Amino acid sequence: MKKIHTWLAVVLMAVGLGFLAPGPASATTSYCGLEWGSLIESNPAMSTASVTNVRTGQHYCFDRLVVDLNGPVAGYTVQYVPVVVQDGSGFDIPLQGGAFLQVTVNAPSYDSNYNVTYSPAAKAELSNVSGYQTFRQVAYAGSFEGYTSIGLGVRARLPFRVFTLDGPGAGSRMVVDVAHFW
């Protein structure tokens, strides 16, 4: 019995001193069979399409933000920021949540004749995300010089992924999934 107590004490000391701690976290992790990360995701290409809608959805492993365009989506930047800023002015966009993603689509919310293609009724709440596991608020941060930005408040700095999809029709979508857990 004395040996068990001795070994237990040694193991507890080793854990306490960090000798048996897990290795450092990587930039990506596997969750629900998918690869996730929390570092900036970006593609510098500019789109000739325009933003037409923003919507959200809930899934088993993640909450999803979808930005619809009326043509092929090209570039984007999605990253965690200390505060989301409004396009053009640089004013802070107040958001609910413990962490904030600035989602920028390299496409305007207006067409080549400067006719508005996306004008949300409530800029502070593009989609009702009450009851979502990860999302806390989705806000419009503006469209300026060919870029459209959205502020996404999430409950914590959780891993995310970004990808694009063709369709429906000649349109396309930029998708941001934020995982429920690490």
Side-chain angles (χ1 to χ4, degrees):
M1 189 70 160
K2 191 172 183 177
K3 284 185 179 183
I4 293 174
H5 285 79
T6 303
W7 277 107
L8 182 60
V10 169
V11 168
L12 289 174
M13 271 198 305
V15 169
L17 294 173
F19 294 130
L20 297 178
S26 66
T28 62
T29 187
S30 180
Y31 171 66
C32 286
L34 303 168
E35 290 299 316
W36 301 84
S38 63
L39 301 178
I40 186 172
E41 291 205 28
S42 183
N43 178 340
M46 291 301 293
S47 179
T48 58
S50 300
V51 173
T52 60
N53 194 26
V54 175
R55 53 199 168 92
T56 61
Q58 299 178 69
H59 296 267
Y60 177 74
C61 296
F62 53 85
D63 289 347
R64 174 170 282 178
L65 172 75
V66 178
V67 180
D68 294 317
L69 289 93
N70 60 7
V73 65
Y76 54 82
T77 301
V78 180
Q79 64 183 327
Y80 278 105
V81 294
V83 64
V84 172
V85 295
Q86 185 178 40
D87 283 345
S89 72
F91 293 133
D92 293 354
I93 302 292
L95 288 172
Q96 297 174 15
F100 313 110
L101 280 168
Q102 178 117 18
V103 177
T104 302
V105 185
N106 299 1
S109 293
Y110 47 85
D111 64 19
S112 59
N113 295 321
Y114 300 100
N115 297 310
V116 175
T117 58
Y118 178 65
S119 179
K123 292 182 179 186
E125 189 174 352
L126 300 183
S127 180
N128 181 358
V129 294
S130 62
Y132 280 48
Q133 192 164 344
T134 298
F135 289 177
R136 295 296 178 258
Q137 186 178 358
V138 184
Y140 188 65
S143 186
F144 184 72
E145 293 186 345
Y147 297 89
T148 299
S149 289
I150 298 157
L152 182 56
V154 296
R155 69 178 166 80
R157 187 179 173 128
L158 294 162
F160 66 92
R161 65 183 182 150
V162 181
F163 58 96
T164 61
L165 296 169
D166 292 334
S172 64
R173 296 158 283 165
M174 186 196 77
V175 179
V176 179
D177 292 338
V178 182
H180 292 161
F181 303 104
W182 265 105

